[in-house]
């Protein structure tokens, strides 16, 4: 068994060899909590949740660190606009992100550090970088000297002479306009912390370098995030950490965007789709299917139609689960999964190819049921539950049993519709005994089915 991953730094798929045999260490750039999350934000957490689950299935222990950026320019600007404390905005949105991760079935991280909890580590890193000649203080700011680090821009493959470094207000005293801020001098009315170079607040890039070093050490396996973070964020993290003396990440993995009308989904463009609103209209497990089944390096173009297609595809999977459950009862997930599924997941987490195996298994299982081959149907269901479980998509697993504890009418309606379709199919083939048995089972469950000219309808009755 060899897992292979696309490494952004190498620009190719590489065999994955963990630093410590049997263990995987992952640092994922998490939320910047200036606002509630849209589905583009959550895609990254979901994609790396699938990666983590696959490592776990392959028998590896996983340390998964996902940070929270709870102080930055945008949070401070929101606080000023809304007349609220910066920390109140950050904490409320941090909770919104965690609710969204939970709703879509993401496992909690091993550790979820906040930037503001690690100021001493940042000061220590800046002091060392200044002593080594890689950073300098000016006007209360601390900057990284990009020309002092030979490997700068190797991740994004840019030319230094053509570089346009993003710059914030008040970044004065730079020796070179391409140098980036590690620490920003305090401004009136803004949050600040004391340092040997004056009071201020951390730069975005410094936060992650300090937290990755604290929780994962000098070298770790995988650094992940959205493709938009390659530059400047990840490029600047590499410069700081390696100049500090860390080897830092061995592999770099980046997920693609969710777009609308060809543009990256973002609040600034006004085209975001908040998770808190989406879960009111779509089952969370369907949203997970929609966001998690395309390849993580492929862009998802959002549309209502594509979500409906995802809902229909997942309904076919659930339909088979329901059919088998009706005939044989509960079937436990298989621990040994189909070879083709495993090969797909091992090859850079090729979930689309893995899902092709899932849908083939559903077709084979349905064919077995139609042939009254219960043994084969049970075997296919066990494989199906095993594969879905690895992807966090098994609707029969405890994590989805209550769909986040929300109103389950939509869930019940979807499942009952599938059962009624099976009843209608039985009637069309004149298998009235099966049709009546399905109706009786629904009634014993407290559901009253009425045949109408527009088709069967159901409602809750007395049990």
């Amino acid at each position: 068994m060899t897992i292979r991953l696309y490494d952004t730094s190498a620009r190719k798929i590489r065999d994955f060899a963990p630093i410590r045999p049997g263990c995987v260490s992952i640092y994922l750039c998490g939320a910047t909590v200036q606002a509630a999350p849209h589905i583009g934000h959550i895609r990254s957490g979901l994609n790396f949740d699938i990666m983590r689950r696959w490592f776990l299935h392959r028998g590896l222990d996983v340390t998964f660190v996902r940070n929270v950026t709870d102080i930055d320019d945008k949070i401070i600007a929101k606080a000023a606009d809304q007349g609220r404390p910066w920390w109140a905005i950050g904490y409320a949105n941090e909770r919104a992100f965690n609710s969204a991760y939970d709703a879509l079935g993401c496992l909690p991280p091993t550790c979820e550090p906040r930037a503001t909890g690690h100021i001493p580590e940042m000061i220590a890193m800046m002091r060392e970088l200044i002593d080594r000649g890689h950073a300098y203080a000016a006007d209360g700011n601390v900057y990284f000297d990009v020309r002092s680090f030979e490997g700068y821009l190797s991740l994004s493959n840019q030319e230094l002479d053509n570089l346009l470094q993003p710059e914030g207000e008040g970044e004065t005293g730079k020796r070179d306009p391409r140098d980036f801020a590690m620490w920003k001098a305090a401004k009136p009315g803004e949050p600040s912390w004391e340092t040997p170079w004056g009071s201020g607040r951390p730069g975005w890039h410094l936060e992650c370098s300090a937290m990755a070093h604290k929780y994962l050490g000098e070298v770790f396996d995988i650094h992940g995030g959205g493709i938009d973070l390659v530059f400047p964020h990840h490029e600047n993290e590499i410069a700081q950490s390696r100049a500090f003396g860390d080897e830092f990440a061995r592999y770099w993995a980046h997920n693609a965007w969710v777009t609308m009308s060809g543009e990256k989904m973002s609040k600034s463009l006004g085209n975001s789709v908040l998770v808190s609103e989406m879960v009111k209209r779509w089952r969370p497990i369907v949203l997970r299917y929609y966001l998690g089944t395309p390849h993580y390096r492929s862009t998802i173009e959002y549309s209502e139609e594509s979500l409906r297609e995802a809902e229909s595809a997942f309904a076919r999977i659930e339909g088979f689960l329901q059919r088998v459950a009706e005939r044989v009862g509960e079937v436990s997930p298989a621990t040994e999964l189909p070879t083709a599924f495993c090969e797909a997941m091992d090859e850079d987490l090729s979930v689309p190819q893995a899902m092709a195996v899932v849908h083939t298994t559903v077709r084979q299982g349905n064919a077995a049921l139609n042939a009254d081959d219960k043994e084969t149907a049970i075997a296919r269901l066990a494989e199906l539950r095993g594969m879905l479980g690895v992807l966090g998509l098994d609707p029969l697993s405890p994590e989805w049993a209550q769909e986040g504890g929300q109103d389950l009418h939509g869930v019940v309606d979807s499942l009952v519709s599938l059962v009624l379709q099976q009843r209608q199919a039985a009637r069309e083939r004149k298998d009235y005994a099966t049709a009546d048995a399905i109706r009786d089972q629904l009634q014993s469950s407290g559901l009253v089915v009425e045949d109408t000219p527009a088709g069967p309808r159901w409602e809750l009755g007395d049990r």
Side-chain angles (χ1 to χ4, degrees):
M1 176 271 293
T2 300
I3 296 175
R4 289 162 52 80
L5 296 173
Y6 183 86
D7 180 5
T8 305
S9 61
R11 296 173 185 82
K12 65 179 181 181
I13 295 177
R14 298 171 54 202
D15 290 352
F16 176 72
I19 297 163
R20 293 175 53 207
C23 300
V24 182
S25 48
I26 303 173
Y27 185 91
L28 174 63
C29 284
T32 298
V33 288
Q34 85 273 13
H38 56 63
I39 58 173
H41 290 132
I42 297 303
R43 184 189 183 188
S44 181
L46 199 158
N47 286 154
F48 285 92
D49 181 68
I50 291 173
M51 175 188 285
R52 179 186 183 184
R53 287 170 182 265
W54 186 243
F55 282 133
L56 290 170
H57 175 76
R58 282 306 201 185
L60 299 163
D61 291 329
V62 181
T63 300
F64 186 81
V65 178
R66 184 183 68 208
N67 77 292
V68 175
T69 297
D70 60 342
I71 185 70
D72 84 333
D73 293 340
K74 294 177 181 179
I75 295 172
I76 292 171
K78 287 282 181 70
D81 290 343
Q82 299 177 17
R84 299 170 61 199
W86 62 271
W87 50 263
I89 290 175
Y91 185 59
N93 290 316
E94 179 183 339
R95 293 183 65 186
F97 266 88
N98 283 328
S99 293
Y101 290 132
D102 292 344
L104 269 64
C106 295
L107 300 173
T110 309
C111 179
E112 192 168 29
R114 296 190 186 101
T116 55
H118 298 80
I119 302 298
E121 290 84 355
M122 298 179 204
I123 292 172
M125 182 169 278
M126 286 189 288
R127 182 182 289 114
E128 181 67 19
L129 289 169
I130 289 173
D131 291 346
R132 291 181 174 219
H134 291 293
Y136 59 94
D139 299 341
N141 302 296
V142 178
Y143 298 107
F144 187 91
D145 180 356
V146 297
R147 289 191 178 274
S148 73
F149 181 68
E150 186 177 351
Y152 190 58
L153 299 180
S154 61
L155 183 68
S156 57
N157 200 29
Q158 298 184 77
E159 294 292 335
L160 184 60
D161 290 341
N162 299 327
L163 179 66
L164 294 175
Q165 187 80 253
E167 186 172 292
E169 183 183 351
E171 294 185 12
T172 61
K174 284 187 179 183
R175 297 174 185 172
D176 186 311
R178 289 159 291 202
D179 294 345
F180 62 86
M182 302 174 66
W183 190 263
K184 300 185 178 186
K187 298 176 187 176
E190 290 189 356
S192 62
W193 291 260
E194 291 297 326
T195 77
W197 313 282
S199 62
R201 58 185 175 84
W204 178 29
H205 319 304
L206 178 64
E207 297 171 349
C208 283
S209 286
M211 288 185 284
H213 177 82
K214 177 169 183 175
Y215 294 100
L216 297 177
E218 296 180 358
V219 58
F220 57 94
D221 291 304
I222 299 169
H223 196 312
I227 193 68
D228 53 321
L229 300 184
V230 171
F231 180 84
H233 187 47
H234 289 166
E235 197 72 78
N236 292 350
E237 278 188 67
I238 291 171
Q240 293 166 157
S241 296
R242 291 187 177 166
F244 178 73
D246 289 353
E247 183 181 338
F248 209 45
R250 289 274 180 91
Y251 297 80
W252 287 84
H254 293 92
N255 64 278
W257 294 335
V258 179
T259 61
M260 291 181 72
S261 302
E263 293 186 271
K264 174 194 171 187
M265 186 173 288
S266 68
K267 294 182 178 64
S268 61
L269 292 175
N271 62 4
S272 58
V273 183
L274 296 182
V275 176
S276 59
E277 294 302 314
M278 294 291 285
V279 296
K280 296 175 183 176
R281 300 166 49 218
W282 303 92
R283 293 171 56 201
I285 197 169
V286 170
L287 286 175
R288 183 179 177 98
Y289 182 95
Y290 171 67
L291 294 172
T293 53
H295 195 276
Y296 74 95
R297 290 192 288 116
S298 299
T299 299
I300 298 174
E301 173 67 14
Y302 172 79
S303 71
E304 294 281 320
E305 181 182 359
S306 59
L307 251 171
R308 284 192 292 271
E309 290 172 356
E311 183 178 50
S312 297
F314 193 70
R316 289 192 291 272
I317 295 172
E318 288 185 306
F320 171 61
L321 294 172
Q322 181 70 25
R323 290 185 71 196
V324 179
E326 286 174 355
R327 298 196 186 187
V328 303
E330 184 177 350
V331 176
S332 298
T335 55
E336 185 172 342
L337 305 183
T339 300
F341 179 91
C342 295
E343 289 175 347
M345 293 298 292
D346 282 342
E347 187 65 12
D348 195 31
L349 304 173
S350 297
V351 178
Q353 285 71 36
M355 288 306 302
V357 180
V358 166
H359 287 289
T360 296
T361 302
V362 170
R363 289 193 294 271
Q364 292 172 344
N366 278 322
L369 280 179
N370 293 337
D372 201 27
D373 182 355
K374 291 184 180 179
E375 184 176 344
T376 299
I378 291 170
R380 296 294 83 78
L381 177 56
E383 292 173 347
L384 179 64
R385 289 200 64 193
M387 292 185 286
L388 293 175
V390 164
L391 299 173
L393 285 169
D394 179 7
L396 302 181
S397 67
E399 64 186 319
W400 290 112
Q402 297 299 321
E403 287 265 356
Q406 62 185 357
D407 179 6
L408 295 182
H409 185 276
V411 180
V412 175
D413 184 65
S414 178
L415 293 175
V416 172
S417 295
L418 291 171
V419 178
L420 292 177
Q421 290 173 19
Q422 294 158 23
R423 175 173 175 264
Q424 182 62 28
R427 296 181 68 186
E428 290 174 356
R429 64 176 182 264
K430 301 187 185 306
D431 184 0
Y432 298 113
T434 297
D436 291 340
I438 292 174
R439 179 172 179 164
D440 292 342
Q441 182 62 44
L442 288 172
Q443 289 177 336
S444 68
S445 301
L447 299 172
V448 176
V449 178
E450 178 185 359
D451 293 311
T452 72
R457 59 180 297 275
W458 69 271
E459 61 183 8
L460 291 175
D462 296 329
R463 295 194 62 178

